[in-house]
Structures are given as C-alpha cells and as structure tokens.
Amino acid sequence: MKNNIMSKSREQLELYFLSINEKKFKALQVYEWLYQKKEFNVDDWSNIKKDIREKIKEDYSLDFIKIVKKEEDNLTKKYLFELSDSEFVEAVLMEHDYGLSICVSSQVGCNMGCAFCESGRLKKIRNLETYEMVEQILLIEQDINKRISSVVVMGIGEPFDNYDNVMNFITIINNSKGLAIGARHITVSTCGLVPKIYEFAKFPLQVNLAISLHASNNELRNKLMNVNKVYSLDKLLTAIKDYIAQTNRRVTIEYVMLNLVNDNIENAIELSNLLKGLNVYVNLIPYNETNHIEFKKSSKNRIMQFYDTLKKNNINVTIRKEFGSNISAACGQLRSKEVR
Ligand code: SAH
C-alpha cells in the first residue's frame, strides 16, 4: 500500500526527492502546498513540473480521514472522525484565553486498561498512522477557519505505545513549514511506559511530557492502572527524575480526582512526599463521569482540600478547567457511543 504523503517528515521527503534525482527543495514546496496553502489536489501544485507531480501521485496517496460528527458547547468542540477502514477516533478543540488547543487521539482503542477510563473499554484495534494524527489538526483548522496553537496528545490511546508514529507526527507539525506548532506548545501524556520515557528524554524537540499518575501509592495505583503492575511508582519516578535531569524541563503530573478513591488528605500528603524537590507541577483533573459508574467526580470541597494540602507542602499545583462535560467530552465517550 502507498504511504500517505502527510505521514512524511520534511527530511524524509527530501531524501525521497534526492532518490528520484530531484532537488531536495521540492520537499519544501510540497510542505508549502500541504500545510500553508492547504492545496490538496496535487495537479494544482503549479510550481512543480507535471512529470514530477505524476511521480508523486504514483508513489504517495493523499487520502483524508472524515469528520462524521460534531458536538459543541461554548468553549469546546468535539469531533468524531471516520478512518478509511471504518474505524472511529475523536479529537477535542478547546478555546483558552491564550488560544486554541486540540487534544488528538493516537490509537484506535487502548490496551492500558485504566479502571476509570472510557477509551480503554474498547481494546486497541490498531495504531494511528502519522497522517491520521496530522489530519485531525488540519481538518479542524479548516472547519473553524482558525489556527490551532497548541496540541496535546491526550485523546484515545497511549502515545508511547505508538511511539514512532507519534514522534514523526510531532516532527511534522512542529516544522516551520509544516503546521509550525511550537515544541513548547506540544504535550505528550503517558500512563507511564517507563522505557519510552527514557527514550523520549533523547527526542530532539523541546516537547512537554505529562505523566498520568493518579495515585499516591502502589496499592492504589495497581487498582486504578494496570500499567503499574509492570512499571511501579518507584520505577516511574526514577524515569521522571532521569528525564528532568536530561532535559531540564518541568514535567506535568496529572492526577484525576476520583471521589473517595484517591482524593483524601492522606493521599495529598503521600503525593507531596513522592514529588518533593522535583521539577514538576501537579494538574488536578476533575473527573468526567462515564459509564464506569463506580467512579464519581470529587466534590469542589475535596478538590480544594487536596489542592491546599499540596500547596502547603510546597508542591506546584493547578486545577484543570473543565471542558465540555455536557458534550461527552470524557475521552472515548463519543467513539464508544458510535461503536455501540
Ligand atoms: N494514555 C495517555 C493519554 C490519554 S488519556 C495517558 O494515560 O496519559 C489523557 C488523560 O485523561 C489521562 O491522564 C487519563 O488518565 C485521563 N482520563 C481518562 N479518563 C478520564 C475521565 N473520564 N475524566 C478525566 N480524565 C480522564
């Protein structure tokens, strides 16, 4: 099967053009057509000679995923996409005071099996191809006719379980002639696949790392997140320390607030002890209730108490603003409705 041209980094296209005895700046021209002029009909790439255009069409495809559903409220738009093999993934657009951000999916389904998460109800069917991630952004930018300035890889799937495609995706959207999204405006979130954290520390772009921690001790984390049975908290924290030492970058610790499960003051104290002295900040995430009816969102009071305890212990902490809780914004909800 042909590769989609939007799965290719600029460097890969340069090598391609050299391999067919063309100048490598053709790659730049292709990038300008795709990502700046947003002209997807290869025949209209007027500064590229016809025989080369024919060769490009022979060697690459340029298929699109399709927007099949939208749900929206004031600050949030949720998109359901259909892929060429009739699978579905979703992306969420959020309007912040600093600009538009998008949450993209990295896999069809997920195998990580977190107890509270809707995406993981449906096991992984396959990884997303690079172009299927790039197009989530392109299509939403076209739909709203505005530029998206930041990207989080926090939709359906575990990005570090699709490492190569996700890194390739980041390289493409970050390229100054690609979508030119600044590395510091790109965040990858992982449930804690430790070997990939070490690998990611060597990735050349200054992208942000977020870790879904969600528990303050192994016993609790084992109950909430299967991954902890393989990569326990101590291994995870060692990897985070290594990442910070290598990159000098601050890591985000995500902590979803589950009522009476992980939101006690004791948990906040335990968490503070785990994170003391590390260059991290904790983002407390109000739980989006799902079909996992055994989990409820923490009350405002309990969230504030948890927040205050972390503050008192000198841990940097913020509470995530809630987006789209009335439009099935919990990751995976739109897809699981569609698949059902
Ligand atoms: N697999 C990656 C990225 C996708 S999930 C990861 O685990 O980090 C993105 C974040 O949303 C994770 O922190 C995840 O635990 C959290 N999450 C999952 N379901 C949620 C829900 N219903 N409400 C709030 N956060 C949720």
Side-chain angles (χ1 to χ4, degrees):
M1 220 178 57
K2 284 195 246 184
N3 272 314
N4 192 298
I5 198 162
M6 281 196 269
S7 282
K8 297 292 159 189
S9 68
R10 213 167 125 192
E11 288 69 25
Q12 287 167 332
L13 284 180
E14 286 177 353
L15 291 174
Y16 163 74
F17 282 113
L18 291 173
S19 79
I20 60 166
N21 293 320
E22 288 297 329
K23 294 268 169 17
K24 71 176 188 184
F25 76 84
K26 289 264 164 354
L28 171 63
Q29 295 177 326
V30 169
Y31 257 52
E32 285 171 347
W33 285 114
L34 290 174
Y35 302 111
Q36 280 158 28
K37 299 172 210 163
K38 299 193 166 54
E39 174 54 69
F40 305 119
N41 186 353
V42 180
D43 295 321
D44 288 340
W45 294 356
S46 51
N47 58 1
I48 298 178
K49 282 203 293 259
K50 182 150 196 291
D51 55 324
I52 303 171
R53 294 201 305 259
E54 292 304 321
K55 178 78 181 137
I56 293 172
K57 286 196 286 183
E58 214 175 283
D59 293 335
Y60 293 106
S61 59
L62 186 41
D63 301 330
F64 272 85
I65 63 174
K66 282 202 271 304
I67 296 176
V68 288
K69 197 182 260 176
K70 268 196 273 183
E71 285 185 10
E72 54 190 287
D73 68 10
N74 296 347
L75 298 175
T76 319
K77 278 200 179 74
K78 181 131 196 178
Y79 292 82
L80 185 73
F81 294 99
E82 186 173 355
L83 313 178
S84 62
D85 54 356
S86 307
E87 297 295 345
F88 297 97
V89 291
E90 54 200 62
V92 186
L93 177 77
M94 289 158 287
E95 205 177 312
H96 303 269
D97 32 16
Y98 56 81
L100 294 172
S101 84
I102 178 184
C103 174
V104 301
S105 292
S106 58
Q107 297 180 314
V108 181
C110 183
N111 278 346
M112 298 300 122
C114 298
F116 49 84
C117 176
E118 191 67 18
S119 304
R121 245 176 219 292
L122 301 161
K123 289 291 150 229
K124 175 172 96 174
I125 292 172
R126 64 174 176 85
N127 284 331
L128 287 190
E129 296 296 329
T130 300
Y131 80 90
E132 293 171 318
M133 294 181 264
V134 174
E135 288 179 0
Q136 292 173 51
I137 304 179
L138 266 179
L139 288 174
I140 293 180
E141 281 192 338
Q142 275 195 322
D143 184 62
I144 57 175
N145 203 16
K146 280 188 195 144
R147 186 173 182 274
I148 289 168
S149 58
S150 57
V151 173
V152 296
V153 189
M154 290 190 191
I156 298 170
E158 166 51 46
F160 281 1
D161 187 37
N162 183 15
Y163 188 83
D164 293 343
N165 289 348
V166 169
M167 295 308 123
N168 198 23
F169 158 71
I170 291 171
T171 306
I172 292 170
I173 63 170
N174 172 253
N175 191 277
S176 59
K177 300 290 174 182
L179 293 173
I181 297 172
R184 287 188 179 75
H185 298 264
I186 300 172
T187 302
V188 181
S189 174
T190 180
C191 64
L193 296 182
V194 162
K196 294 297 177 195
I197 297 174
Y198 287 103
E199 201 173 333
F200 188 58
K202 302 195 184 76
F203 184 65
L205 302 176
Q206 311 257 306
V207 183
N208 305 303
L209 174 64
I211 305 280
S212 299
L213 203 69
H214 304 333
S216 56
N217 61 61
N218 277 316
E219 195 193 340
L220 180 57
R221 198 161 191 267
N222 282 340
K223 284 191 200 141
L224 296 177
M225 301 175 76
N226 278 337
V227 67
N228 200 65
K229 295 171 191 158
V230 185
Y231 303 115
S232 56
L233 274 178
D234 37 320
K235 291 183 188 142
L236 179 55
L237 283 162
T238 307
I240 295 171
K241 284 177 198 159
D242 173 85
Y243 177 88
I244 295 170
Q246 301 262 344
T247 61
N248 248 320
R249 287 202 291 277
R250 181 152 83 159
V251 169
T252 305
I253 302 292
E254 295 163 281
Y255 197 99
V256 64
M257 298 296 289
L258 303 165
N259 192 41
L260 300 172
V261 172
N262 65 355
D263 65 346
N264 299 304
I265 297 215
E266 294 72 48
N267 296 118
I269 295 170
E270 226 170 16
L271 183 64
S272 307
N273 289 332
L274 284 182
L275 301 178
K276 200 156 275 169
L278 291 184
N279 185 17
V280 296
Y281 91 91
V282 177
N283 196 207
L284 299 177
I285 310 176
Y287 182 58
N288 264 312
E289 291 181 2
T290 67
N291 286 324
H292 296 281
I293 49 166
E294 66 278 29
F295 295 106
K296 299 280 177 225
K297 69 194 296 181
S298 303
S299 64
K300 290 231 159 66
N301 252 340
R302 290 180 71 82
I303 296 180
M304 280 322 295
Q305 237 175 32
F306 201 94
Y307 174 91
D308 288 338
T309 308
L310 290 180
K311 273 259 142 145
K312 239 184 274 157
N313 285 286
N314 294 317
I315 304 290
N316 295 312
V317 55
T318 54
I319 299 172
R320 181 178 296 173
K321 189 168 166 203
E322 280 187 84
F323 278 100
S325 46
N326 43 15
I327 54 165
S328 19
C331 157
Q333 278 183 325
L334 207 56
R335 170 166 182 261
S336 64
K337 270 199 248 168
E338 191 67 25
V339 173
R340 242 185 285 132

